[in-house]
Amino acid sequence: MKAVTRKATRHVNQNEGLIFEKSSAGKAAWKLPPLDVPEVDTQKLLGASERKDLGNMPEVSEIEIIRHFTRLSTWNYAIDLGMYPLGSCTMKYNPRVNEVVSRLEGLANGHPYQPERVSQGALRIIKTLSECLIEITGMDAITLQPAAGAHGELTGLLLVRAYHQSKGHPRKKILIPDSAHGTNPATAATVGYAVENLKSDARGMVDVAALAAQMNEDVAALMLTNPNTLGVFEQDIAKIADLMHAKGGLLYMDGANMNALVGKVRPGDFGVDLMHLNLHKTFSTPHGGGGPGSGPVAVKKMLEPFLPKPVLITKPDGTLGFEYDRPQSVGRVRAFYGNFGMFIRALAYTLANGPDGLRQTTEDAVLNANYIRKGLEGVYDLPYSTPSMHEVVFSDKLQVKKGVHTMDIAKRLIDYGFHPYTTAFPLIVPGALMIEPTESESKEEMDLFIEAMRSIAQEVEEDPEMVLAAPHTTRVSRLDEVAAARKPVLRWKPS
Amino acid sequence: MRYLPKSPADREAILKAIGARSIDDLFAPIPAEYRLNRDLKVPRQMAESEIVDWFRERSRENGDGYATFLGAGAYYHYRPVIIDSLISRGEFLTAYTPYQAEISQGTLQSIFEFQSMICELTGMEVANASMYDGSTAAAEAVMMAVRLTGRRSVVVARSLHPEYREVLATYAFHQGMPVTTTGFTDNGRVDLKELERSVDQNTACVLIQSPNFFGTIEDVAAVAEIAQKKGAMLVVSVAEAVSLGLVEPPRPADIIAMEAQSFGVPLGFGGPYCGVIATREKYVRQMPGRLVGQTTDRNGKRGFVLTLATREQHIRREKATSNICTNQALVALMANVFMTIYGKVGLRELAKQNLAKAAYAAQQFGKHAKVLFSGTPRFNEFVVQTSEDPYAINSRLLGHKIVGGLPLKKFYPELGNAALWCCTEMSTRTIIDTAVGLVAESERSVKSAKEADVEEVAR
C-alpha cells in the first residue's frame, strides 16, 4: 500500500473535527469518588421517569478535550492578540487579577440563598460597586440585577412605565434616534411601547427642532446614547433634557459609550433621569465570545421606589441585607441578584484605577479615537466632521466607486492581523466603518492599524478584486451565510 | 495606571499629531458647566496585591469552607479543573460575539457543539446559543409560545421556582399576558384537575418545571395532554441540568427552557449562569437568541456562522423575537466542556450519585421528621417538615459550618415549617449525618418540651 502523508501543516491549521467525531465507547475524562451511601435501585426510585440512554453524547479522554478546545481557541481572534476596534463595543483589556479574585472560594462557591450572616462579603462587594457606579454616573440609586445591556434597557423602560403609571398615565411612546442600537427599539416593543423614530441633524446629533415637534404627553421617554453611535457628544443635551422634562417625559441614557465620559462628566449632572451601564464594556469584564455581560441601571431619586427587588440595605446593626418588601417595585427581572461574578470584576477594575486612573483611561480612549481619525481622514470618507469622542465613524463612499464595500475592507483588515471595526452601523451612515480603539492601544499598535487601513485603501484602487476576495490568510475563507440560513444545520447528527 | 500603554511622551506626540493643544481640547464638545472638575469619590488606586487582599477578606466573610444543603435553582457540583484551564485561554475569554466568522471559528464551532449536546440531552431538535439564565429563558419561552399560538394567556405551575414565576410576572405584565397559577397536590406535583380547569382556548402555554421546585418529577405526559388537546403549548423548565443524566427529559414539551448552571458553572452568589432554550425545528424562526449553523466556505470547507439573524434585534429592531444581544457565551463554554468531560456515561453516573445521596438523606431525615411528597419520584431535592422553625435549626447548623435547607415559608406559607434540602455528589455522608443529627435533636427537644407542657397541665 502506498504511504500517505497524513500531516502536512501545523495541527492548528488542520481541521479539528467536531467532538462527536472523536468519540468512541469506553473512553472517559471523568472519575467519581466511591459512593459513601448505599447504592440505589434507579428503576425502583424513578420508575417510568428513568432515562436509559443519553443518545449521542460524546465519550472522550481528558487530553483530547484539552487539545480539542485549545485548537479551537487558536482559530479565534481576541483582545489578547491585538487591537479589536469594534465601535460601540469597547473591547478593552480584561485585567487578569479580575479573574483571580472572582475565583476565590468563598465568592465562587457562595450560594445565593445562604444566610445573610454568612454572605456579608458578597453583599459588601455589591454595596461598594453600587456606590462607585452611583458616583461615576452622578445618579442617586442603582440596581445591579440586569444580566446585560439589553436587559438593563428592559429594566429601565419598566421603571419608566411604572413611574408614569404612578402619575396616572403610563404613556404610549418611546422616542429613539435613528442612530440608535437595535436593542433600543426591540426593548421598547418588549415593554409594550410604540417606537417613534427621531431623526438626526446634519451634525449627526439629535435634531432639537424635531424633538420639540415630536415631544408631547404621550411620550414616556427618549432613549439617547451619549456620546451617540457616531462617537459624537450631544452638545444640546441641556436643551434635550429640558424639552423632555417640560412635558413630563424622562431622559433615558444608553450607557454603551460611557467609556468616553467616566471621570470627565456625569450623566446625572446633565439631566439624565436613568441609564444603564455595560460592565462588559466600560468596566473591563471579558466579552467571552458574547457574554456574560452585566447591565446595571442607575436612576434619580424619584425612580428609586420602582427598582427591581430585592434591594440591598444596611440594617440597624450595621450588617447588610436584602429588602424584599418593595410595594412599588417593577418586580424581578432575573432570579437571584444579577451576574455577581461580573460585579467582582468591575469592582476590581475600579479599584485598580482609582479616580485618577479612571479619568486617564477616558482621556486616552478619546485621544486614541482622534489619532485614528486624523490618520485616516482623507483616505476614507468622514460623513460627519463633528468632533469625535471615543470612536470615529467613516464611510466606504470613496471605495464603493471600485465596488468595494465596508465589509470587504473589514475582511481585508483581517489579513493585516486586526479584528475588523463595526461594519454597516450606525444605520444613518451608509456603508459605515465604526472604529473604537479604546484606551488599551499603544501608539505603535495604532500606527500599525492606520498603516493597514491606508494600505487597504490603496489596494482598493489598484486591485479591488483582491480585496473583494479577502480574507486570504484565515483557516476558512468567506462562509456561505445564505446557505446557512436557507437550510439551517443547527446541530450535529451521526451520518 | 498600569493598564494604559502610553508614556507621557506618547500622549504629547499624539496631541501634536492631531493638532490639539491639550487633552481638554478634545473634551470641548461637552458643555463646560457639566464638566467634572474634581476627582470622582471612589477608592484610591490600589496595587494588585491590595486588590487581592481586599477580595480575600470578602471571601472569608462569605461562608468560605461551609458545606451546603442549598439547591433551589443553584446547585453545588464539582467543577473539573480543565473547565477553567480552557475558558481562561485569552482567545475564548477576550473575544467578542463571533460576527466575523473567519476569525471566530473556535467560538462558533464550540457553540455548535453546545447546541448539539443540549439537543441530545433534552430530546429537542434545536437549541440556541444561550439565554441569560433559567428564569429569563422561561419567560422568553413563554413569549415565544405567545407568538407561535397567537394566544395571550399563560398557566403556570405553582411548583415552578418562585423567582422564575416573579420574573415571568414582570415580563408578562406589560405584554398584556394574563398569568394564572395552578397549584400542586399532596404528591408534590401539578394538580391536574385544577390545570384542566385553567387551560382554555386562550391559553398560549402551560409552564411547569421538572424536576420541580420541590425536586419532584412531574408527570410531563399528563400535563402535555391537557395543554395540547386545547391547542396550548407545553413549556418545561429544567433548573437542575444534571437530572438529565438519569431522568427522562420532558420530550412531550414544545419548548424546554433550561438553566445549565449545574454543568460546571460556579454558584457565584447567583450568577452569571446559563439559560438555554430548546425546541422543535418547526418553531426555530420564533426562537429568541443567537444560533450557530454549519455551512461551507468558498473552497467547500466546513465552517460555522451565526445564522437566522433576521429574528434578532440588530436586524429587525422593534420587530425582533427578543431584545437579547449579549448572552452568556463563556458560561455556555463552561457547560460545553463539562458536558464533554462527563459525556454519555459519566453524566448518568454523576446523576446516580446525586440520586443516591438524596435518597439516603431523605431516608435519614424521614426517621425523625416528615419528608413531604415522598411517594413521588424525585431527583436530588426533597422537602423536610420539622416541628421547629427551620430558621432556628439552620442557625444551629451554621455553628457546625453547615448551611441547612432553604426554609420555604417565604414562598409557600401553607407548608409551615418546611425546608427544601438538596444533596449532590458533593454532600458527604458525614455531613448528611451531622445535619440529620441536629434535626433529630430539634425534634426530640420540641417533643420533650411538649411533654413537659402536658405534665404541667396534668399537674
Side-chain angles (χ1 to χ4, degrees), chain A residues 488-491 493, chain B residues 114-116 118-120 122-129 144 254-256 276-285 287 291-292 308:
Chain A
V489 178
L490 305 172
R491 65 179 292 193
K493 275 185 194 150
Chain B
F114 172 83
Q115 292 174 180
S116 303
I118 294 291
C119 287
E120 293 293 339
T122 56
M124 292 284 119
E125 292 162 346
V126 288
N128 68 6
M144 180 177 159
D254 298 286
I255 308 170
I256 294 179
V276 197
I277 287 182
T279 186
R280 303 186 187 289
E281 207 160 346
K282 59 183 173 190
Y283 302 141
V284 70
R285 284 171 204 273
M287 219 175 176
L291 286 164
V292 169
L308 300 177

Side-chain angles (χ1 to χ4, degrees), chain A residues 15-19 21 29-30 33 36 49-51 53-58 68-70 72-73 75-80 84 86 89 91 94-95 103 105-106 108 110-111 113-114 117-122 135 150-151 158 161 180 182-183 185-187 189-191 235 238 264-266 269 286-292 332-336 339-341 351-356 359-360 364 368 370 411 439-441 475-480 485 489-492, chain B residues 1 3-6 11 17-18 29 34 36 38-41 43 45-46 58-59 61-64 70-71 74 82 84 87 89-98 100-107 109 112-113 115-116 119-121 124-125 132-133 135-136 161 163 166-167 170-171 174-175 244 246-248 266-272 285 292-298 301-302 307 313 317-318 323 327-330 341 343-346 348 353 357 377 395 429:
Chain A
N15 271 332
E16 172 66 15
L18 290 164
I19 196 76
E21 294 159 355
W30 57 276
D36 60 357
S49 304
E50 187 189 0
R51 178 177 209 165
D53 183 58
L54 291 187
N56 296 302
M57 289 296 283
H68 177 69
F69 287 102
T70 304
L72 289 188
S73 77
W75 301 344
N76 272 0
Y77 193 83
I79 300 172
D80 284 3
Y84 215 124
L86 280 171
C89 298
M91 296 296 283
N94 305 143
R103 283 172 173 79
E105 289 265 323
H111 192 286
Y113 287 148
Q114 70 193 23
R117 235 168 87 188
V118 288
S119 300
Q120 291 299 306
E135 163 69 4
H151 204 214
L158 289 171
R161 202 176 238 286
T183 52
T187 303
T190 309
V191 186
Q235 289 172 31
K264 300 296 286 185
V265 59
R266 308 191 312 162
D269 295 340
H287 276 75
R332 266 185 182 283
V333 294
R334 186 197 182 287
F336 312 122
N339 283 347
F340 177 74
L351 296 179
N353 274 287
D356 45 341
R359 184 173 47 232
Q360 182 76 68
D364 279 7
N368 281 2
N370 279 283
K411 295 297 185 194
E439 71 280 6
S440 301
E441 300 312 323
R475 262 192 74 254
V476 289
S477 57
R478 283 198 211 186
L479 290 145
D480 190 344
V489 178
L490 305 172
R491 65 179 292 193
W492 174 83
Chain B
M1 208 283 125
Y3 302 152
L4 300 175
K6 270 187 286 296
R11 292 190 180 103
I18 60 185
Y34 300 129
L36 195 66
R38 61 163 175 90
D39 274 357
L40 285 168
K41 292 178 197 123
Q45 197 175 117
M46 285 187 187
R58 304 291 83 74
S59 173
E61 297 163 355
N62 213 59
D64 193 0
L70 288 170
I82 66 168
D84 276 353
I87 69 139
R89 285 191 64 92
E91 298 94 328
F92 285 130
L93 185 76
T94 75
Y96 192 68
T97 303
Q100 297 291 341
E102 297 89 345
I103 45 171
S104 308
Q105 285 298 302
T107 294
Q109 183 169 327
F112 184 78
E113 291 175 357
Q115 292 174 180
S116 303
C119 287
E120 293 293 339
L121 289 177
M124 292 284 119
E125 292 162 346
Y132 303 137
D133 74 337
S135 69
T136 56
H161 195 301
E163 292 195 3
E166 287 180 43
V167 172
T170 308
Y171 273 71
H174 300 299
Q175 305 257 318
L244 293 169
L246 197 57
V247 177
E248 185 58 14
L267 283 171
F269 206 60
R285 284 171 204 273
V292 169
Q294 181 180 309
T295 186
T296 49
D297 75 354
R298 287 177 174 180
K301 201 169 177 178
R302 176 167 73 184
T307 193
Q313 48 75 26
R317 298 175 80 87
E318 65 266 31
N323 72 337
N327 52 32
Q328 303 290 115
L330 197 72
I341 291 169
K344 188 179 171 75
V345 181
R348 187 180 157 85
Q353 283 213 353
K357 301 264 190 178
S395 178
R429 184 176 189 150

Side-chain angles (χ1 to χ4, degrees), chain B residues 171-246:
Chain B
Y171 273 71
F173 185 64
H174 300 299
Q175 305 257 318
M177 288 159 42
V179 179
T180 42
T181 308
T182 287
F184 51 89
T185 61
D186 52 15
N187 67 6
R189 283 176 161 176
V190 170
D191 185 335
L192 296 176
K193 287 194 189 113
E194 194 187 334
L195 181 69
E196 183 99 51
R197 288 193 300 272
S198 306
V199 179
D200 61 24
Q201 308 311 318
N202 300 318
T203 308
C205 68
V206 172
L207 169 61
I208 64 166
Q209 177 184 338
S210 187
N212 68 22
F213 188 67
F214 308 125
T216 307
I217 298 161
E218 294 282 0
D219 185 349
V220 178
V223 175
E225 206 200 311
I226 293 172
Q228 288 159 353
K229 80 178 175 208
K230 292 198 181 147
M233 291 187 146
L234 174 62
V235 180
V236 180
S237 164
V238 177
E240 169 47 299
V242 167
S243 69
L244 293 169
L246 197 57

